[in-house]
Amino acid sequence: MVEFKFIDYGTDFGTRDMGQKLRQKLLPLINSGEKVVLDFTGVNVVSNSFADECIAKLLLEMPLDELKRHTTFRGLNPLAERSVLVALQRRYKVIFAVDKEAR
C-alpha cells in the first residue's frame, strides 16, 4: 500500500489547477497496481471544484470499480467527504449518460 498525503501539499484545496496537478501525481501511483491510500488527515477544505478535478476526473481514466480497487480514503472531515462524494456522483452521472447515448 502506498500513501498519498494531501497535507504535504497544503491544508485548503479549492482550485481546479491544484486538483489537476495532484491528479497528475496520483495517476502513476494508481497505475502502479498498488492500493493507494488518499490520506486527507489534517486537510481543512476540499472544494467541489478541487474534488472533481483531482478525484472524480480519475473516472475518465478508469471505471469506478477499478478506481475503488486501487484507492481508499482516510482522514476526510465531513465537509471534505461530502465534496468528494458529490463530485464522484456528478462525474459518474455525466460519464454514464454519455456512455448510454453512445450505445
Side-chain angles (χ1 to χ4, degrees):
M1 229 185 280
V2 175
E3 287 187 359
F4 187 89
K5 295 184 178 213
F6 283 83
I7 194 74
D8 292 344
Y9 302 94
T11 58
D12 300 312
F13 297 99
T15 67
R16 286 193 173 274
D17 184 51
M18 180 58 92
Q20 179 184 18
K21 288 176 185 172
L22 294 186
R23 180 170 34 87
Q24 290 171 345
K25 291 180 181 292
L26 277 172
L27 266 173
L29 295 174
I30 293 169
N31 289 331
S32 74
E34 284 196 70
K35 187 122 182 173
V36 179
V37 177
L38 305 175
D39 188 356
F40 284 86
T41 303
V43 172
N44 298 319
V45 176
V46 175
S47 73
N48 289 339
S49 296
F50 174 85
D52 179 57
E53 195 68 41
C54 183
I55 308 296
K57 277 194 174 179
L58 292 169
L59 294 174
L60 299 173
E61 304 289 332
M62 66 194 73
L64 181 60
D65 289 343
E66 187 177 338
L67 182 61
K68 285 180 177 180
R69 276 195 310 275
H70 293 291
T71 61
T72 189
F73 291 88
R74 180 187 302 147
L76 281 166
N77 68 42
L79 291 174
E81 181 178 7
R82 177 151 174 73
S83 291
V84 170
L85 287 174
V86 167
L88 283 167
Q89 288 171 340
R90 287 178 180 165
R91 182 64 57 178
Y92 182 79
K93 284 179 184 177
V94 168
I95 292 169
F96 185 73
V98 168
D99 186 47
K100 193 174 178 181
E101 287 178 14
R103 286 188 230 149

